[in-house]
Amino acid sequence: MKREVIFYTKGEQGVANCKVCPRLCNIKPGKRGFCRVRENRDGILYANNYGECSSYALDPIEKKPLYHFYPGSYILSLGTVGCNLRCGFCQNWQIAQEDPPTTYISPRQAADLALQQKARGYSCVGLAYTYSEPFMWYEYVYDTAKLARKAGLKNVLVTNGYVSEEPLNALLPYIDAMNIDVKAFTEDFYRSTCAGQLEPVKRTVEIAYKHCHVEITTLLVTGLNDGPEEITRLADWLSGLNPDIPLHFSRYFPNYKMDLPPTPEKTLLRAREIARRHLRYVYIGNTPQLKASSTYCPNCDQLLLDREGYQVKAYGPAGGTCPGCGEKISIVM
């Protein structure tokens, strides 16, 4: 199904000027934008992927990853096709950069599916727009999130954060949580490895954390974005916004167009040690042997949420405070 894009303007000679993301593609009639899912048809810009779902599953919320947003719960996760970055290490390139089969799921059907999971006894808190880039599914996410909110469901974005300010602000009133990929903390990495820019992503984080729950993920790619100085600058910037923002370091494995060796475990541990000098909650993902995914009180170090993979044993914090020392814990439960 196709739907007219919300944020675009009509230019001369039928050119459509897309305003959804910082690329600001000028799309000629019969052509598509960089994301591959916005097409100009006779001067009208359409989202070709509206409601087209490439992947869906009932996931643990920790898989997003969101560790401080209804820990131990589940969320119905939906993804589409297309992306506005070209990361050489992309883990979901089959749907981000290719054209896999899709199934149409209307906004109403999506909300009803999440409600059905709750009715079946699952602790399903709502809908996550994930797997591929949800801002390249903007019109569908906007329509679905409004319906989900009316139905009492939560809305979560797992995103690269590469979006223009106007569409971001229009969507945020319906979003409860975001995990934003900050893929590196240098413009050079974004240009050479992702075909994007860092500054728009920083702006997204700076806007979003004031409106909803935000967590950050950085995939540490061996030798490219894992240096101590860069980690320090990333953590210091986040701390300047709010030291309670959780930061997740993920281990890189060779994928798509990149064959560098996997991130050494010592690099991940070093990054966590550096970041914890600035931030109260720092985790290491997809490396369970390092046992760095549990939540501890940043004041007294009491174990609050014991995680093994995506399984959570909740010891607290009851009432939003540490049961050991009474420290306020930044967590949505």
Side-chain angles (χ1 to χ4, degrees), residues 60-136:
I61 197 78
E62 277 76 17
K63 192 176 180 180
K64 299 305 99 189
L66 288 171
Y67 282 9
H68 287 234
F69 186 78
Y70 295 96
S73 66
Y74 288 83
I75 194 158
L76 183 64
S77 301
L78 308 172
T80 186
V81 296
C83 189
N84 57 346
L85 293 181
R86 294 284 188 274
C87 301
F89 50 82
C90 183
Q91 297 174 318
N92 291 322
W93 62 269
Q94 293 93 338
I95 59 175
Q97 310 299 343
E98 301 290 336
D99 296 300
T102 59
T103 299
Y104 179 76
I105 299 177
S106 72
R108 174 57 62 190
Q109 287 173 320
D112 285 347
L113 282 170
L115 291 171
Q116 288 169 16
Q117 304 310 310
K118 292 185 69 172
R120 291 172 181 168
Y122 293 101
S123 56
C124 177
V125 297
L127 291 163
Y129 312 94
T130 177
Y131 304 137
S132 60
E133 176 47 49
F135 282 119
M136 298 302 98

Side-chain angles (χ1 to χ4, degrees), residues 4-5 7-19 26-27 40-46:
E4 187 174 357
V5 169
F7 291 98
Y8 82 103
T9 57
K10 297 180 180 181
E12 297 180 356
Q13 299 180 330
V15 173
N17 311 119
C18 186
K19 307 294 186 182
N26 295 321
I27 307 170
N40 183 337
R41 294 195 173 190
D42 300 321
I44 299 176
L45 193 60
Y46 289 98

Side-chain angles (χ1 to χ4, degrees), residues 107-330:
R108 174 57 62 190
Q109 287 173 320
D112 285 347
L113 282 170
L115 291 171
Q116 288 169 16
Q117 304 310 310
K118 292 185 69 172
R120 291 172 181 168
Y122 293 101
S123 56
C124 177
V125 297
L127 291 163
Y129 312 94
T130 177
Y131 304 137
S132 60
E133 176 47 49
F135 282 119
M136 298 302 98
W137 212 12
Y138 186 89
E139 292 72 22
Y140 178 75
V141 171
Y142 184 84
D143 291 346
T144 307
K146 289 174 69 176
L147 278 175
R149 173 62 62 84
K150 288 181 180 179
L153 297 167
K154 305 299 182 183
N155 290 298
V156 167
L157 296 178
V158 181
T159 173
N160 62 29
Y162 203 55
V163 63
S164 296
E165 191 168 334
E166 186 178 3
L168 172 64
N169 284 326
L171 183 59
L172 275 174
Y174 308 103
I175 300 303
D176 299 283
M178 297 173 67
N179 185 291
I180 304 171
D181 278 342
V182 178
K183 296 180 183 293
F185 213 64
T186 65
E187 289 289 355
D188 180 66
F189 182 97
Y190 265 88
R191 285 194 301 268
S192 62
T193 308
C194 303
Q197 298 172 286
L198 170 62
E199 283 303 316
V201 179
K202 289 174 62 179
R203 186 185 65 241
T204 295
V205 176
E206 291 164 358
I207 293 171
Y209 92 93
K210 298 176 182 178
H211 296 274
C212 68
H213 177 79
V214 167
E215 303 191 22
I216 303 299
T217 295
T218 298
L219 182 78
L220 295 182
V221 183
T222 309
L224 295 185
N225 66 344
D226 57 358
E229 291 185 3
E230 185 169 348
I231 299 301
T232 299
R233 286 188 287 110
L234 167 64
D236 185 57
W237 166 69
L238 281 175
S239 177
L241 301 179
N242 188 335
D244 283 341
I245 295 175
L247 173 60
H248 304 258
F249 290 118
S250 289
R251 190 182 191 190
Y252 150 86
F253 292 95
N255 212 329
Y256 194 34
K257 297 181 178 181
M258 193 168 285
D259 59 1
L260 292 169
T263 318
E265 292 181 5
K266 64 180 181 181
T267 300
L268 292 158
L269 290 169
R270 180 185 66 189
R272 183 171 184 252
E273 179 184 356
I274 293 170
R276 290 180 73 183
R277 298 170 192 164
H278 305 266
L279 300 167
R280 288 155 62 91
Y281 308 102
V282 184
Y283 302 100
I284 298 175
N286 67 354
T287 315
Q289 64 271 26
L290 296 183
K291 301 186 181 302
S293 62
S294 294
T295 299
Y296 294 85
C297 174
N299 182 54
C300 71
D301 207 35
Q302 177 165 327
L303 178 63
L304 301 175
L305 295 165
D306 185 13
R307 294 185 180 88
E308 293 184 7
Y310 300 133
Q311 301 298 313
V312 180
K313 299 176 183 178
Y315 294 96
T321 60
C322 172
C325 69
E327 178 79 2
K328 182 180 179 182
I329 305 300
S330 179

